[in-house]
Amino acid sequence: MPDIHPTAIVAPGATIAESVAIGPYATVGAHVVLGEGVQVGAHAVLDGHTVLGEGVQILPFASVGLPPQDLKYRGEPTRVEIGPRTIIREHATVHRGSIGGEGVTRLGAECLIMCVAHVGHDCQLADKVILANNVMLGGHVNIGDNVFVGGGTAIHQSVRIGRQAVIGGMSGVERDVIPFGSCMGNRARLIGLNLIGLKRRGFGREAINALRLAYRSLFLGRGTFDARMSLVIQDQGEQPQVAEVLAFIEASSRRGLMRAGRQVDESAEAEAA
């Protein structure tokens, strides 16, 4: 049987797996589904059409599935879906989707949402995304696998962050960030590639060098950006990681592409590679 503290409030209709633990004064709404091994901390609030996968942890005072901060919202049955083993830390908030988006806010597997972070309505986070303390995501933000967002960063609504990117703390991100990119600042600009992350996750020297060459050509080269894109497509378009960056750039975007803000420090880059 689930381990439900006597002071917790679980509404009739909620679906609770047998191995779930719910702490003191937590509140679980009627349309919430809690998978095996889910842990809900003291005073946490789960509401709306919310599904938590196996092993998800919701720590004290977090709230998941409450209505979006969207003045057009009129109580429609939009959703939150959270993948297995994701952790939502203290005071973090994850709002359900809106009718102006996909109708679902989705977090993948093994994400870590640190204290007081906010995931706005209709955001789509892939697997192993880390949002550090006080990160703020506007609505409709799309974040790829293995992205790290530094503490205190604000990401504008509808921004796309490609996989394996890293965002420096206290940044203001209002443009799309390429896969494998590194950016920081207010307003944030690209400062190079996430070389440390690439090495840690097993990308070889050939892939890293190809990305470095493509980055220099696209963001530090001469001529128009379209001309530089054409040259990279011609010379490197079949290299898998470069092709991923090119496809990201060519995809539809509401915010536009983030450009480089300063020259990469070549000695630091060479040491990291």
Side-chain angles (χ1 to χ4, degrees):
M1 294 293 292
D3 181 10
I4 301 175
H5 193 275
T7 61
I9 299 174
V10 179
T15 301
I16 312 294
E18 291 188 358
S19 54
V20 166
I22 300 176
Y25 303 101
T27 302
V28 179
H31 303 291
V32 173
V33 178
L34 305 182
E36 294 291 347
V38 168
Q39 300 179 37
V40 180
H43 297 275
V45 177
L46 308 178
D47 199 12
H49 293 262
T50 294
V51 179
L52 273 55
E54 178 182 357
V56 169
Q57 298 179 45
I58 309 295
L59 274 75
F61 297 98
S63 66
V64 177
L66 273 69
Q69 296 177 133
D70 182 346
L71 294 176
K72 300 183 297 298
Y73 183 72
R74 295 293 183 270
E76 296 86 0
T78 53
R79 310 190 311 282
V80 170
E81 298 174 1
I82 297 182
R85 298 173 299 284
T86 283
I87 300 172
I88 311 293
R89 293 299 306 244
E90 298 89 335
H91 295 278
T93 54
V94 180
H95 287 174
R96 60 183 180 252
S98 71
I99 58 170
E102 295 187 18
V104 56
T105 301
R106 184 178 292 112
L107 282 66
E110 300 180 26
C111 295
L112 172 57
I113 312 302
M114 295 189 193
C115 298
V116 203
H118 172 66
V119 179
H121 61 83
D122 302 286
C123 287
Q124 308 291 309
L125 278 59
D127 297 339
K128 299 183 179 180
V129 172
I130 298 176
L131 306 183
N133 293 5
N134 298 289
V135 167
M136 298 168 285
L137 304 186
H140 311 277
V141 171
N142 192 308
I143 300 182
D145 293 333
N146 291 298
V147 168
F148 175 84
V149 183
T153 290
I155 301 182
H156 194 285
Q157 64 189 40
S158 301
V159 161
R160 299 179 301 146
I161 310 292
R163 77 178 181 107
Q164 304 281 350
V166 59
I167 315 297
M170 302 298 291
S171 293
V173 180
E174 57 184 359
R175 303 288 182 184
D176 295 346
V177 181
I178 59 169
F180 317 108
S182 175
C183 74
M184 67 181 301
N186 185 13
R187 298 298 194 218
R189 304 289 282 181
L190 283 174
I191 59 171
L193 297 171
N194 181 16
L195 294 171
I196 294 174
L198 287 166
K199 290 187 65 177
R200 285 177 176 172
R201 296 188 176 96
F203 288 84
R205 184 175 296 273
E206 181 179 349
I208 292 173
N209 287 339
L211 285 167
R212 291 170 64 192
L213 179 60
Y215 180 88
R216 291 195 190 100
S217 298
L218 287 168
F219 297 102
L220 305 177
R222 297 181 181 275
T224 68
F225 188 79
D226 287 345
R228 285 177 271 151
M229 273 282 291
S230 297
L231 185 61
V232 173
I233 291 170
Q234 175 183 316
D235 294 344
Q236 295 181 264
E238 295 187 2
Q239 200 283 333
Q241 286 75 39
V242 174
E244 182 177 343
V245 173
L246 295 172
F248 181 91
I249 293 171
E250 292 177 327
S252 175
S253 170
R254 295 181 60 184
R255 296 301 308 166
L257 187 66
M258 184 179 291
R259 303 299 176 91
R262 62 174 174 81
Q263 287 282 355
V264 177
D265 185 295
E266 294 288 345
S267 61
E269 186 182 59
E271 181 180 352

